[in-house]
mmCIF file of all heavy atoms in Angstrom:
data_model
loop_
_atom_site.group_PDB
_atom_site.id
_atom_site.type_symbol
_atom_site.label_atom_id
_atom_site.label_comp_id
_atom_site.label_asym_id
_atom_site.label_seq_id
_atom_site.Cartn_x
_atom_site.Cartn_y
_atom_site.Cartn_z
ATOM 1 N N SER I 94 -14.247 2.015 2.668
ATOM 2 C CA SER I 94 -15.378 1.952 1.744
ATOM 3 C C SER I 94 -15.598 3.270 1.018
ATOM 4 O O SER I 94 -15.230 4.337 1.529
ATOM 5 C CB SER I 94 -16.650 1.586 2.506
ATOM 6 O OG SER I 94 -17.096 2.684 3.289
ATOM 7 N N PRO I 95 -16.222 3.211 -0.162
ATOM 8 C CA PRO I 95 -16.577 4.442 -0.869
ATOM 9 C C PRO I 95 -17.550 5.302 -0.069
ATOM 10 O O PRO I 95 -17.523 6.535 -0.174
ATOM 11 C CB PRO I 95 -17.237 3.930 -2.163
ATOM 12 C CG PRO I 95 -16.708 2.549 -2.346
ATOM 13 C CD PRO I 95 -16.534 2.012 -0.958
ATOM 14 N N GLN I 96 -18.399 4.654 0.721
ATOM 15 C CA GLN I 96 -19.385 5.393 1.517
ATOM 16 C C GLN I 96 -18.702 6.303 2.532
ATOM 17 O O GLN I 96 -19.159 7.430 2.777
ATOM 18 C CB GLN I 96 -20.326 4.418 2.222
ATOM 19 C CG GLN I 96 -21.271 3.670 1.291
ATOM 20 C CD GLN I 96 -20.597 2.557 0.501
ATOM 21 O OE1 GLN I 96 -19.554 2.025 0.918
ATOM 22 N NE2 GLN I 96 -21.179 2.204 -0.632
ATOM 23 N N GLN I 97 -17.627 5.842 3.129
ATOM 24 C CA GLN I 97 -16.893 6.671 4.086
ATOM 25 C C GLN I 97 -16.343 7.925 3.407
ATOM 26 O O GLN I 97 -16.479 9.035 3.934
ATOM 27 C CB GLN I 97 -15.740 5.867 4.692
ATOM 28 C CG GLN I 97 -16.168 4.767 5.650
ATOM 29 C CD GLN I 97 -14.977 3.943 6.112
ATOM 30 O OE1 GLN I 97 -14.005 3.765 5.380
ATOM 31 N NE2 GLN I 97 -15.056 3.437 7.325
ATOM 32 N N ILE I 98 -15.738 7.745 2.243
ATOM 33 C CA ILE I 98 -15.176 8.888 1.527
ATOM 34 C C ILE I 98 -16.284 9.822 1.066
ATOM 35 O O ILE I 98 -16.141 11.054 1.110
ATOM 36 C CB ILE I 98 -14.328 8.422 0.337
ATOM 37 C CG1 ILE I 98 -13.161 7.561 0.831
ATOM 38 C CG2 ILE I 98 -13.800 9.623 -0.447
ATOM 39 C CD1 ILE I 98 -12.244 8.249 1.823
ATOM 40 N N GLY I 99 -17.403 9.250 0.624
ATOM 41 C CA GLY I 99 -18.535 10.083 0.230
ATOM 42 C C GLY I 99 -19.047 10.917 1.379
ATOM 43 O O GLY I 99 -19.357 12.115 1.210
ATOM 44 N N GLU I 100 -19.135 10.317 2.557
ATOM 45 C CA GLU I 100 -19.621 11.039 3.729
ATOM 46 C C GLU I 100 -18.673 12.159 4.122
ATOM 47 O O GLU I 100 -19.095 13.288 4.418
ATOM 48 C CB GLU I 100 -19.798 10.072 4.898
ATOM 49 C CG GLU I 100 -20.362 10.721 6.143
ATOM 50 C CD GLU I 100 -20.593 9.734 7.286
ATOM 51 O OE1 GLU I 100 -20.390 8.521 7.072
ATOM 52 O OE2 GLU I 100 -20.966 10.189 8.385
ATOM 53 N N ILE I 101 -17.394 11.872 4.117
ATOM 54 C CA ILE I 101 -16.431 12.888 4.530
ATOM 55 C C ILE I 101 -16.330 13.997 3.484
ATOM 56 O O ILE I 101 -16.160 15.175 3.818
ATOM 57 C CB ILE I 101 -15.056 12.250 4.807
ATOM 58 C CG1 ILE I 101 -14.323 13.022 5.905
ATOM 59 C CG2 ILE I 101 -14.163 12.204 3.591
ATOM 60 C CD1 ILE I 101 -13.158 12.289 6.494
ATOM 61 N N SER I 102 -16.447 13.637 2.211
ATOM 62 C CA SER I 102 -16.411 14.640 1.157
ATOM 63 C C SER I 102 -17.612 15.572 1.253
ATOM 64 O O SER I 102 -17.480 16.790 1.061
ATOM 65 C CB SER I 102 -16.379 13.953 -0.213
ATOM 66 O OG SER I 102 -16.174 14.887 -1.242
ATOM 67 N N ALA I 103 -18.790 15.017 1.568
ATOM 68 C CA ALA I 103 -19.989 15.849 1.734
ATOM 69 C C ALA I 103 -19.825 16.791 2.920
ATOM 70 O O ALA I 103 -20.260 17.956 2.877
ATOM 71 C CB ALA I 103 -21.212 14.955 1.919
ATOM 72 N N GLU I 104 -19.208 16.303 3.976
ATOM 73 C CA GLU I 104 -18.947 17.145 5.141
ATOM 74 C C GLU I 104 -18.031 18.311 4.764
ATOM 75 O O GLU I 104 -18.255 19.457 5.179
ATOM 76 C CB GLU I 104 -18.296 16.305 6.251
ATOM 77 C CG GLU I 104 -18.219 16.978 7.593
ATOM 78 C CD GLU I 104 -19.548 16.989 8.344
ATOM 79 O OE1 GLU I 104 -20.463 16.220 7.978
ATOM 80 O OE2 GLU I 104 -19.666 17.779 9.304
ATOM 81 N N ILE I 105 -17.018 18.021 3.968
ATOM 82 C CA ILE I 105 -16.096 19.066 3.525
ATOM 83 C C ILE I 105 -16.821 20.063 2.615
ATOM 84 O O ILE I 105 -16.564 21.276 2.682
ATOM 85 C CB ILE I 105 -14.877 18.442 2.813
ATOM 86 C CG1 ILE I 105 -14.056 17.618 3.810
ATOM 87 C CG2 ILE I 105 -14.001 19.533 2.194
ATOM 88 C CD1 ILE I 105 -12.930 16.815 3.173
ATOM 89 N N ASP I 106 -17.727 19.552 1.769
ATOM 90 C CA ASP I 106 -18.525 20.455 0.919
ATOM 91 C C ASP I 106 -19.193 21.537 1.763
ATOM 92 O O ASP I 106 -19.144 22.735 1.435
ATOM 93 C CB ASP I 106 -19.615 19.672 0.183
ATOM 94 C CG ASP I 106 -19.078 18.838 -0.966
ATOM 95 O OD1 ASP I 106 -17.931 19.061 -1.381
ATOM 96 O OD2 ASP I 106 -19.827 17.962 -1.446
ATOM 97 N N GLY I 107 -19.833 21.097 2.850
ATOM 98 C CA GLY I 107 -20.545 22.033 3.712
ATOM 99 C C GLY I 107 -19.629 23.021 4.396
ATOM 100 O O GLY I 107 -19.953 24.214 4.506
ATOM 101 N N ILE I 108 -18.481 22.547 4.837
ATOM 102 C CA ILE I 108 -17.527 23.429 5.522
ATOM 103 C C ILE I 108 -16.981 24.474 4.556
ATOM 104 O O ILE I 108 -16.853 25.658 4.896
ATOM 105 C CB ILE I 108 -16.388 22.604 6.147
ATOM 106 C CG1 ILE I 108 -16.939 21.691 7.247
ATOM 107 C CG2 ILE I 108 -15.295 23.516 6.704
ATOM 108 C CD1 ILE I 108 -15.943 20.680 7.764
ATOM 109 N N GLU I 109 -16.651 24.048 3.342
ATOM 110 C CA GLU I 109 -16.167 25.004 2.336
ATOM 111 C C GLU I 109 -17.217 26.081 2.073
ATOM 112 O O GLU I 109 -16.897 27.279 2.017
ATOM 113 C CB GLU I 109 -15.824 24.273 1.041
ATOM 114 C CG GLU I 109 -14.519 23.490 1.091
ATOM 115 C CD GLU I 109 -14.217 22.773 -0.214
ATOM 116 O OE1 GLU I 109 -15.173 22.540 -1.002
ATOM 117 O OE2 GLU I 109 -13.041 22.439 -0.444
ATOM 118 N N ALA I 110 -18.457 25.650 1.902
ATOM 119 C CA ALA I 110 -19.529 26.610 1.604
ATOM 120 C C ALA I 110 -19.726 27.596 2.747
ATOM 121 O O ALA I 110 -19.854 28.816 2.525
ATOM 122 C CB ALA I 110 -20.826 25.857 1.316
ATOM 123 N N GLU I 111 -19.740 27.103 3.960
ATOM 124 C CA GLU I 111 -19.962 27.959 5.127
ATOM 125 C C GLU I 111 -18.796 28.908 5.371
ATOM 126 O O GLU I 111 -18.981 30.009 5.903
ATOM 127 C CB GLU I 111 -20.184 27.096 6.370
ATOM 128 C CG GLU I 111 -21.485 26.303 6.347
ATOM 129 C CD GLU I 111 -21.603 25.357 7.528
ATOM 130 O OE1 GLU I 111 -20.697 25.399 8.402
ATOM 131 O OE2 GLU I 111 -22.565 24.576 7.571
ATOM 132 N N SER I 112 -17.594 28.495 4.976
ATOM 133 C CA SER I 112 -16.390 29.282 5.271
ATOM 134 C C SER I 112 -15.947 30.154 4.112
ATOM 135 O O SER I 112 -14.930 30.856 4.219
ATOM 136 C CB SER I 112 -15.239 28.341 5.664
ATOM 137 O OG SER I 112 -15.607 27.504 6.744
ATOM 138 N N GLY I 113 -16.668 30.101 3.001
ATOM 139 C CA GLY I 113 -16.284 30.898 1.840
ATOM 140 C C GLY I 113 -15.040 30.392 1.148
ATOM 141 O O GLY I 113 -14.330 31.142 0.478
ATOM 142 N N ILE I 114 -14.771 29.093 1.291
ATOM 143 C CA ILE I 114 -13.614 28.471 0.659
ATOM 144 C C ILE I 114 -14.043 27.943 -0.708
ATOM 145 O O ILE I 114 -15.110 27.324 -0.831
ATOM 146 C CB ILE I 114 -13.077 27.315 1.529
ATOM 147 C CG1 ILE I 114 -12.624 27.848 2.894
ATOM 148 C CG2 ILE I 114 -11.932 26.587 0.833
ATOM 149 C CD1 ILE I 114 -12.328 26.760 3.906
ATOM 150 N N PRO I 115 -13.276 28.158 -1.757
ATOM 151 C CA PRO I 115 -13.650 27.655 -3.080
ATOM 152 C C PRO I 115 -13.926 26.155 -3.053
ATOM 153 O O PRO I 115 -13.173 25.392 -2.433
ATOM 154 C CB PRO I 115 -12.433 27.981 -3.953
ATOM 155 C CG PRO I 115 -11.786 29.142 -3.271
ATOM 156 C CD PRO I 115 -12.013 28.921 -1.804
ATOM 157 N N ARG I 116 -14.991 25.749 -3.698
ATOM 158 C CA ARG I 116 -15.367 24.342 -3.719
ATOM 159 C C ARG I 116 -14.252 23.505 -4.346
ATOM 160 O O ARG I 116 -13.727 23.825 -5.408
ATOM 161 C CB ARG I 116 -16.657 24.144 -4.500
ATOM 162 C CG ARG I 116 -17.168 22.708 -4.516
ATOM 163 C CD ARG I 116 -18.470 22.592 -5.295
ATOM 164 N NE ARG I 116 -18.921 21.218 -5.405
ATOM 165 C CZ ARG I 116 -19.671 20.594 -4.503
ATOM 166 N NH1 ARG I 116 -20.063 21.248 -3.425
ATOM 167 N NH2 ARG I 116 -20.039 19.347 -4.663
ATOM 168 N N GLY I 117 -13.863 22.456 -3.656
ATOM 169 C CA GLY I 117 -12.819 21.570 -4.150
ATOM 170 C C GLY I 117 -11.420 21.951 -3.726
ATOM 171 O O GLY I 117 -10.457 21.269 -4.090
ATOM 172 N N ALA I 118 -11.279 23.023 -2.947
ATOM 173 C CA ALA I 118 -9.948 23.460 -2.516
ATOM 174 C C ALA I 118 -9.297 22.457 -1.565
ATOM 175 O O ALA I 118 -8.072 22.344 -1.510
ATOM 176 C CB ALA I 118 -10.029 24.826 -1.841
ATOM 177 N N VAL I 119 -10.142 21.746 -0.814
ATOM 178 C CA VAL I 119 -9.636 20.768 0.144
ATOM 179 C C VAL I 119 -9.519 19.408 -0.542
ATOM 180 O O VAL I 119 -10.466 18.943 -1.175
ATOM 181 C CB VAL I 119 -10.561 20.653 1.367
ATOM 182 C CG1 VAL I 119 -10.041 19.594 2.337
ATOM 183 C CG2 VAL I 119 -10.678 22.007 2.056
ATOM 184 N N THR I 120 -8.348 18.800 -0.436
ATOM 185 C CA THR I 120 -8.111 17.503 -1.066
ATOM 186 C C THR I 120 -7.964 16.405 -0.017
ATOM 187 O O THR I 120 -7.767 16.673 1.179
ATOM 188 C CB THR I 120 -6.873 17.540 -1.972
ATOM 189 O OG1 THR I 120 -5.709 17.831 -1.165
ATOM 190 C CG2 THR I 120 -7.023 18.596 -3.044
ATOM 191 N N ILE I 121 -8.037 15.156 -0.485
ATOM 192 C CA ILE I 121 -8.058 13.997 0.398
ATOM 193 C C ILE I 121 -6.938 13.028 0.049
ATOM 194 O O ILE I 121 -6.653 12.791 -1.122
ATOM 195 C CB ILE I 121 -9.417 13.265 0.288
ATOM 196 C CG1 ILE I 121 -10.522 14.067 0.975
ATOM 197 C CG2 ILE I 121 -9.341 11.854 0.871
ATOM 198 C CD1 ILE I 121 -11.911 13.491 0.757
ATOM 199 N N GLN I 122 -6.324 12.484 1.094
ATOM 200 C CA GLN I 122 -5.430 11.337 0.970
ATOM 201 C C GLN I 122 -6.074 10.160 1.706
ATOM 202 O O GLN I 122 -6.442 10.291 2.869
ATOM 203 C CB GLN I 122 -4.056 11.627 1.570
ATOM 204 C CG GLN I 122 -3.294 12.738 0.877
ATOM 205 C CD GLN I 122 -1.938 12.993 1.498
ATOM 206 O OE1 GLN I 122 -1.623 12.476 2.582
ATOM 207 N NE2 GLN I 122 -1.104 13.790 0.828
ATOM 208 N N CYS I 123 -6.221 9.038 1.021
ATOM 209 C CA CYS I 123 -6.816 7.840 1.631
ATOM 210 C C CYS I 123 -5.716 6.959 2.199
ATOM 211 O O CYS I 123 -4.807 6.548 1.470
ATOM 212 C CB CYS I 123 -7.609 7.054 0.592
ATOM 213 S SG CYS I 123 -9.024 7.923 -0.106
ATOM 214 N N LEU I 124 -5.786 6.681 3.490
ATOM 215 C CA LEU I 124 -4.810 5.826 4.160
ATOM 216 C C LEU I 124 -5.417 4.447 4.368
ATOM 217 O O LEU I 124 -6.400 4.295 5.096
ATOM 218 C CB LEU I 124 -4.396 6.451 5.490
ATOM 219 C CG LEU I 124 -3.411 5.684 6.372
ATOM 220 C CD1 LEU I 124 -2.139 5.353 5.619
ATOM 221 C CD2 LEU I 124 -3.092 6.496 7.629
ATOM 222 N N PHE I 125 -4.843 3.432 3.724
ATOM 223 C CA PHE I 125 -5.349 2.062 3.797
ATOM 224 C C PHE I 125 -4.537 1.277 4.819
ATOM 225 O O PHE I 125 -3.331 1.101 4.657
ATOM 226 C CB PHE I 125 -5.281 1.399 2.429
ATOM 227 C CG PHE I 125 -6.138 2.077 1.399
ATOM 228 C CD1 PHE I 125 -5.575 2.936 0.461
ATOM 229 C CD2 PHE I 125 -7.509 1.886 1.369
ATOM 230 C CE1 PHE I 125 -6.345 3.572 -0.486
ATOM 231 C CE2 PHE I 125 -8.301 2.522 0.427
ATOM 232 C CZ PHE I 125 -7.732 3.358 -0.498
#
Side-chain angles (χ1 to χ4, degrees):
S94 73
Q96 291 75 24
Q97 289 175 329
I98 299 302
E100 183 177 356
I101 211 165
S102 187
E104 191 77 16
I105 294 173
D106 285 345
I108 295 170
E109 285 180 339
E111 292 174 5
S112 305
I114 299 169
R116 183 179 176 87
V119 178
T120 62
I121 287 173
Q122 297 180 349
C123 297
L124 178 55
F125 297 101

